[in-house]
Amino acid sequence: MRWPRIPRRRRAGPEASSPEDDRYARQRASMVATQLEARGITDERLLEAFRTVPRHAFVDEEDPYGDHALPVGSGQTISQPYVVARMTQAARPPEGWADANVL
């Protein structure tokens, strides 16, 4: 089975910014506050990842930061942000387990 190629939006450089980038940054911040922090996601490293990863670059949808699953091709979906955050937070080994691995 071949995975579909998902086009990615490219920037001119790290300093490049557009009104669209600002809009998505606001949507990410709102997603983190209303969908994750409000529901008890507390891991700061995890929240920072959700604040910075451009979810809109991986899906072709009008509402990439909405509180719902999104299609990614071949009949597959990416779970809503809260579900991904909750599973990731639950899978993280406790402090002190420096050598622990999670699959």
Side-chain angles (χ1 to χ4, degrees):
M1 177 175 133
R2 289 184 48 170
W3 292 100
R5 291 186 53 84
I6 300 172
R8 296 208 168 96
R9 295 176 180 94
R10 298 191 186 271
R11 291 183 174 191
E15 69 284 342
S17 182
S18 71
E20 183 176 86
D21 291 337
D22 294 340
R23 177 174 59 99
Y24 285 131
R26 287 191 304 274
Q27 288 179 1
R28 280 194 303 276
S30 175
M31 173 192 68
V32 169
T34 62
Q35 297 177 38
L36 307 183
E37 291 175 321
R39 290 178 174 159
I41 301 299
T42 58
D43 185 314
E44 191 53 43
R45 289 177 24 197
L46 182 60
L47 292 170
E48 185 60 26
F50 274 88
R51 284 185 195 103
T52 57
V53 172
R55 186 175 170 96
H56 64 275
F58 300 98
V59 296
D60 288 329
E61 289 292 318
E62 291 184 22
D63 187 19
Y65 299 100
D67 192 17
H68 48 81
L70 295 171
V72 291
S74 298
Q76 302 295 307
T77 61
I78 183 172
S79 298
Q80 71 191 76
Y82 172 72
V83 171
V84 174
R86 180 71 177 104
M87 289 188 301
T88 304
Q89 183 170 281
R92 184 158 303 203
E95 292 296 322
W97 290 25
D99 296 329
N101 292 310
V102 176
L103 174 59

